[in-house]
């Protein structure tokens, strides 16, 4: 009883500590797991389901020279910070959304079909749940890995996944 | 009947409080350093595959160890510090002697950032006089025949030899 009374008398301190702890370590982990744009290839996927960690680990197995990390995010990851997504190197976008995100894509008219809804076949189906629409893979318009070929190399690796 | 004066906080009590505070501070510092070391190792050995689980584990370890350390710092070290400060105040103040039947009442006083106290009533021929005594020492007044009070708190008491 005394323990419960004591805890409630300092509840604000315990809540503040939990918040501080979560924010501080999230920041530390972001700092330790992130690298500059020149050393990573980032893939954004506009899909209903994605095993982002597993896909990133799989793609890192064949990462090009000079690349330290492969980042995979769903569009929801950046829904409140659109500027973030503009630096994406690769995009997987369903056919109906291509017009909306046209500005992000290097060549919006020549995406590679990564998923065919009619046959239900595509690449990386073990990691990505595409939904009921054809999806296309694009290079990012603002990618820093077009000239060095790293974005293309990761795209090829992605397309080769079963 | 000869009587002896006994202190509420003896020298041994204050020494024991000082030692307790010192040892608890050392123990809490070691616990905090250990928790920080474990969290730092988890953060330093992170990979893409274990990033989420490591981050989750680190936050849980940091939060729980922090809660335990905060609890001990506030309610063990803090309480001992407040008792020590109170004992020093009692030893320095001017004492007022009141003789009569001494009773510890059920009244309880919890002063913020100070000690918890119990009410004490001394029945004198001219009426009852009210004091406070530190809760952890209230049992000492069981056989008291007179009390010495400082700022309304019992600092010492007399018992029959």
């Amino acid at each position: 009883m005394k323990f419960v009374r004591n805890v409630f008398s300092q509840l604000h301190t315990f809540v503040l500590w939990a918040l501080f702890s979560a924010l501080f370590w999230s920041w530390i982990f972001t700092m330790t797991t992130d690298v500059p744009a020149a050393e990573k290839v980032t893939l954004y996927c506009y899909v209903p389901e994605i095993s982002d960690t597993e896909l990133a680990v799989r793609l890192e197995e064949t990462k090009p020279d000079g690349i330290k990390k492969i980042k995979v995010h769903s569009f929801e990851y950046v829904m409140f910070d659109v500027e973030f997504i503009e630096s994406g190197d690769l995009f997987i976008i369903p056919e109906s959304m291509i017009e909306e995100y046209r500005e992000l894509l290097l060549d919006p008219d020549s995406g590679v079909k990564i998923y065919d809804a009619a046959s239900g076949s595509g690449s990386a189906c073990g990691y990505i749940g595409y939904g009921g629409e054809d999806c296309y893979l694009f290079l990012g318009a603002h990618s820093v890995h077009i000239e060095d070929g790293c974005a293309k190399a990761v795209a090829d690796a992605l397309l080769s996944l079963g | 009947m000869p009587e002896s004066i006994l202190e509420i906080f003896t020298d041994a009590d204050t020494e024991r409080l000082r030692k307790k505070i010192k040892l608890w501070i050392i123990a809490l510092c070691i616990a905090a350093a250990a928790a920080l070391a474990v969290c730092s190792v988890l953060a330093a050995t992170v990979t893409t595959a274990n990033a989420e689980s490591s981050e989750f584990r680190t936050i849980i370890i940091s939060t729980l160890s922090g809660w335990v350390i905060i609890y001990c710092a506030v309610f063990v070290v803090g309480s001992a510090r407040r008792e020590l400060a109170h004992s020093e105040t009692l030893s320095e103040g001017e004492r007022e002697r009141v003789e009569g039947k001494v009773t510890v009442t059920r009244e309880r006083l919890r002063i913020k950032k100070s000690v918890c106290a119990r009410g004490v009533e001394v029945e004198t021929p001219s009426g009852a006089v009210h004091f406070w005594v530190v809760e952890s020492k209230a049992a000492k007044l069981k056989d008291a025949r007179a009390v010495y009070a400082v700022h309304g708190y019992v600092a010492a008491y007399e018992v029959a030899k």
Side-chain angles (χ1 to χ4, degrees), chain A:
Chain A
M1 195 62 199
K2 190 183 174 189
F3 172 77
V4 174
R5 199 174 56 223
N6 285 346
V7 168
F8 272 94
S9 73
Q10 289 294 323
L11 196 59
H12 58 288
T13 314
F14 292 120
V15 171
L16 278 176
W17 173 255
L19 285 174
F20 169 78
S21 175
L23 290 173
F24 176 76
W25 287 109
S26 296
W27 177 69
I28 291 289
F29 271 78
T30 303
M31 299 294 282
T32 52
T33 55
D34 207 6
V35 291
E39 295 172 0
K40 67 181 174 186
V41 172
T42 310
L43 164 69
Y44 288 101
C45 306
Y46 196 108
V47 292
E49 284 174 49
I50 183 163
S51 303
D52 47 5
T53 304
E54 287 80 2
L55 181 56
V57 170
R58 181 71 182 82
L59 291 172
E60 277 185 3
E61 288 172 8
T62 55
K63 62 180 184 278
D65 290 341
I67 297 299
K68 289 182 181 168
K69 296 270 180 192
I70 307 286
K71 296 276 181 180
V72 178
H73 300 300
S74 72
F75 269 51
E76 286 149 10
Y77 177 80
V78 287
M79 66 191 300
F80 297 114
D81 191 356
V82 182
E83 280 180 24
F84 217 41
I85 208 168
E86 286 178 354
S87 61
D89 301 295
L90 295 166
F91 293 90
I92 294 175
I93 297 179
E95 196 169 15
S96 62
M97 302 303 290
I98 293 173
E99 279 306 308
E100 189 173 332
Y101 293 106
R102 205 175 174 80
E103 287 174 14
L104 296 174
L105 313 176
L106 182 65
D107 189 355
D109 301 317
S110 62
V112 178
K113 197 176 201 178
I114 192 167
Y115 178 72
D116 181 65
S119 64
S121 63
S123 301
C125 287
Y127 305 95
I128 303 172
Y130 288 98
E133 205 178 335
D134 291 349
C135 289
Y136 291 84
L137 176 64
F138 296 93
L139 294 173
H142 307 287
S143 169
V144 294
H145 293 296
I146 302 299
E147 285 181 16
D148 63 13
C150 290
K152 176 80 169 52
V154 175
D156 290 341
L158 182 63
L159 290 167
S160 69
L161 292 179

Side-chain angles (χ1 to χ4, degrees), chain B residues 1-19:
Chain B
M1 187 184 287
E3 291 176 337
S4 65
I5 301 171
L6 300 170
E7 295 293 322
I8 285 287
F9 285 98
T10 62
D11 288 346
D13 285 338
T14 51
E15 194 49 44
R16 184 183 53 78
L17 282 171
R18 282 198 183 92
K19 203 172 173 184

Side-chain angles (χ1 to χ4, degrees), chain B residues 43-111:
Chain B
T45 56
V46 69
T47 63
T48 303
N50 69 12
E52 280 178 25
S53 61
S54 287
E55 186 176 343
F56 180 73
R57 277 193 208 121
T58 305
I59 290 171
I60 292 294
I61 291 169
S62 164
T63 302
L64 293 181
S65 58
W67 282 350
V68 172
I69 290 166
I70 289 168
Y71 186 92
C72 293
V74 173
F75 296 106
V76 180
V77 179
S79 165
R81 271 189 166 160
R82 289 191 290 271
E83 260 191 36
L84 186 62
H86 184 75
S87 75
E88 282 165 358
T89 308
L90 294 184
S91 67
E92 289 162 5
E94 197 174 317
R95 296 185 171 192
E96 166 198 4
R97 182 180 185 277
V98 181
E99 190 176 348
K101 189 186 175 205
V102 179
T103 315
V104 177
T105 66
R106 297 174 75 88
E107 198 177 4
R108 197 163 178 272
L109 179 67
R110 192 183 175 89
I111 308 165

